[in-house]
Amino acid sequence: MCASAGSSALDDRIHTVARARGTSPVAVLGQCLLGPLSAPDRPGPRHTLLAVCPNSTAVARAALLAAKEANTPLLYAATLNQVDRDGGYTGWTPDALAAFVADEADRLGVEVPVFLGLDHGGPWAKDAHADAGLSPDAAMREAKRSITACIDAGYDLLHLDPAAGPPDAPDEPLSLGTLVERTVSLLQHAEAARAARDRPPLAYEVGTDEARGGLQSPDRMRSFLRRLHTALDAHGLPRPSFVVGDLGTRLDSGRFDADRARQFVAAAGETGTLVKGHYTDDVDVPADYPLSGVGGANVGPGLSAVEAAAVRDLAALEAQLDGDSGVMDALRTAVVDSGRWTKWLRPDEQGTAFTALPEDRQRWLVETGSRYVWADPDVQAARAELYEHVAPYRDAEAFVLWRLKAAILHYMHAFNLVGLTAPLMEALPEETS
């Protein structure tokens, strides 16, 4: 699915080239970045594609507004926790997300290419499946059903990540053989489902930055890609456009290791694969991503924290107006009651009660964990009341979207994406046979 208002010239060109090459539009985008738009003096592309995790209506809408202003393609990367057959924590199924993005792109007059993607599609990648301790066969079946739902909804890019496991799984990395075998199984299923539905080719993302994936070194990534490509070629399956590796980022660290990233880029470049970074939220120097040749980056929880901070500022205005929606209390209660905040405790915090944590950690956990509960009825009711209270002095919805759009544009500028549609048009052939 490429969502845009009407049919833009770049949309048409990308899809025409994709059909002529028998590949996906996202793969064509990657080929441009690695080919005519690459840096001649260093490995990797000069542009880092941004994939936004649609963890709320406001984030998904702000991403479209930012892409329109920056005049650049936009990717979404939805986890199975966020968007799935059961609605996920956003309430969106894959079909519902696709409909929302298409409708909003049309309403907002967005004419840049917009692509939907699955993030971490694999067994036990959904928290509920890990918590239930599903067997390997059951976990794989559930993952494949969700992948099929994404294909039905018109997703363009599927991240196939077989590295997760149930809570009692050992911490040591899986063998390369297991990673390759599971990845091939997931990709075989996706291709069979695509063919059965007569869908156009898809782009794929493989690998993981999770410890069980073990892609913490360039050599292991190199070995993984070589073995995976050999297996895919033997089955007549498409090679991936992106590979995920451990670039030194963590959700709460802000650290990006540029030297490490360059080594991964060089290793992946041997097979013509773009490196994609996860946990890009709030990295100290996002401009180092294109300088290091990283081809893509996911941002998600950090944007939910931006949304929470904007709501907190509105609540401060509300207090000045003698209003009391209780929105921040409702948000805090919903996050704590969800229990999901425990997933992000540091090793020295394990087993600690929420109220026993330092205030700065409590605030971080609430703001970052707000993505899990924006659809909670109590949170929604309090937020609606907040918006009503401040309406005489501020357009609350516009305020939140402005803050989110500014945060997303920060990444787009740093990733050298602003105005990318023009060089892409020049890089793509006008006619293909």
Side-chain angles (χ1 to χ4, degrees):
M1 169 208 175
C2 184
S4 65
S7 177
S8 74
L10 182 58
D11 276 347
D12 292 343
R13 187 81 63 81
I14 290 176
H15 281 80
T16 298
V17 173
R19 286 192 294 270
R21 296 179 181 176
T23 189
S24 73
V26 173
V28 168
L29 201 57
Q31 290 163 7
C32 284
L33 297 188
L34 281 173
L37 298 184
S38 64
D41 57 342
R42 60 181 68 197
R46 293 178 294 184
H47 308 270
T48 302
L49 297 174
L50 176 64
V52 173
C53 297
N55 45 41
S56 74
T57 299
V59 168
R61 182 175 290 130
L64 288 169
L65 291 169
K68 178 182 178 180
E69 181 171 325
N71 199 20
T72 186
L74 171 68
L75 278 68
Y76 285 105
T79 70
L80 295 179
N81 287 320
Q82 288 167 350
V83 179
D84 198 10
R85 292 168 293 135
D86 63 356
Y89 62 69
T90 62
W92 278 323
T93 62
D95 277 332
L97 173 63
F100 173 85
V101 171
D103 290 345
E104 284 295 293
D106 185 66
R107 184 180 71 86
L108 298 171
V110 178
E111 295 187 350
V112 297
V114 181
F115 301 104
L116 297 182
L118 169 65
D119 190 23
H120 294 290
W124 302 291
K126 190 178 178 72
D127 288 345
H129 297 165
D131 294 342
L134 294 186
S135 69
D137 288 343
M140 187 66 85
R141 281 196 303 272
E142 289 299 315
K144 289 179 177 178
R145 287 170 181 162
S146 294
I147 287 170
T148 299
C150 292
I151 294 171
D152 286 338
Y155 278 35
D156 307 279
L157 172 65
L158 301 180
H159 176 206
L160 306 179
D161 180 3
D168 59 351
D171 291 333
E172 62 263 19
L174 296 171
S175 69
L176 285 180
T178 299
L179 286 174
V180 169
E181 179 183 359
R182 289 182 180 175
T183 302
V184 170
S185 176
L186 291 168
L187 207 151
Q188 278 181 313
H189 171 80
E191 282 296 287
R194 179 190 68 78
R197 289 154 177 79
D198 196 25
R199 299 284 186 176
L202 295 165
Y204 293 99
E205 178 178 330
V206 298
T208 182
D209 55 348
E210 301 295 339
R212 278 174 51 81
L215 299 187
Q216 275 84 30
S217 76
D219 285 341
R220 185 168 163 93
M221 175 183 281
R222 184 181 290 107
S223 297
F224 168 70
L225 286 173
R226 286 175 177 171
R227 293 180 63 168
L228 177 64
H229 284 191
T230 298
L232 294 175
D233 292 348
H235 289 87
L237 297 170
R239 293 185 173 189
S241 297
F242 297 94
V243 62
V244 181
D246 182 0
L247 305 183
T249 55
R250 295 291 180 271
L251 183 56
D252 60 352
S253 74
R255 180 175 180 270
F256 170 71
D257 191 331
D259 290 336
R260 180 188 185 90
R262 279 189 284 270
Q263 295 176 44
F264 277 94
V265 167
E270 295 175 10
T271 52
T273 313
L274 288 165
V275 170
K276 198 154 181 271
H278 288 195
Y279 293 133
T280 309
D281 309 80
D282 302 319
V283 291
D284 295 332
V285 190
D288 279 349
Y289 275 66
L291 288 171
S292 304
V294 176
N298 290 5
V299 176
L303 294 177
S304 205
V306 170
E307 185 174 357
V311 170
R312 186 186 297 276
D313 288 347
L314 289 171
L317 172 61
E318 178 192 36
Q320 288 182 286
L321 300 172
D322 297 323
D324 184 15
S325 62
V327 66
M328 296 313 297
D329 287 338
L331 187 61
R332 175 189 174 96
T333 298
V335 170
V336 174
D337 288 351
S338 75
R340 290 178 180 266
W341 58 275
T342 59
K343 181 178 178 180
W344 304 107
L345 289 176
R346 297 166 178 163
D348 61 323
E349 296 172 336
Q350 296 297 322
T352 304
F354 186 87
T355 54
L357 294 167
E359 287 190 12
D360 63 328
R361 284 292 290 158
Q362 291 185 38
R363 180 166 176 163
W364 185 89
L365 288 167
V366 169
E367 291 190 346
T368 306
S370 62
R371 65 192 188 278
Y372 298 124
V373 299
W374 286 125
D376 180 90
D378 291 338
V379 174
Q380 287 189 327
R383 187 168 178 171
E385 187 176 354
L386 166 70
Y387 282 22
E388 290 179 7
H389 289 168
V390 303
Y393 290 87
R394 187 161 300 167
D395 184 328
E397 181 177 0
F399 177 76
V400 172
L401 286 175
W402 166 63
R403 293 278 288 269
L404 284 167
K405 187 178 79 166
I408 295 169
L409 282 169
H410 168 71
Y411 291 105
M412 289 178 168
H413 278 279
F415 290 168
N416 193 25
L417 295 177
V418 175
L420 183 58
T421 56
L424 279 172
M425 283 291 288
E426 294 178 3
L428 291 166
E430 292 189 12
E431 296 181 2
T432 54
S433 58

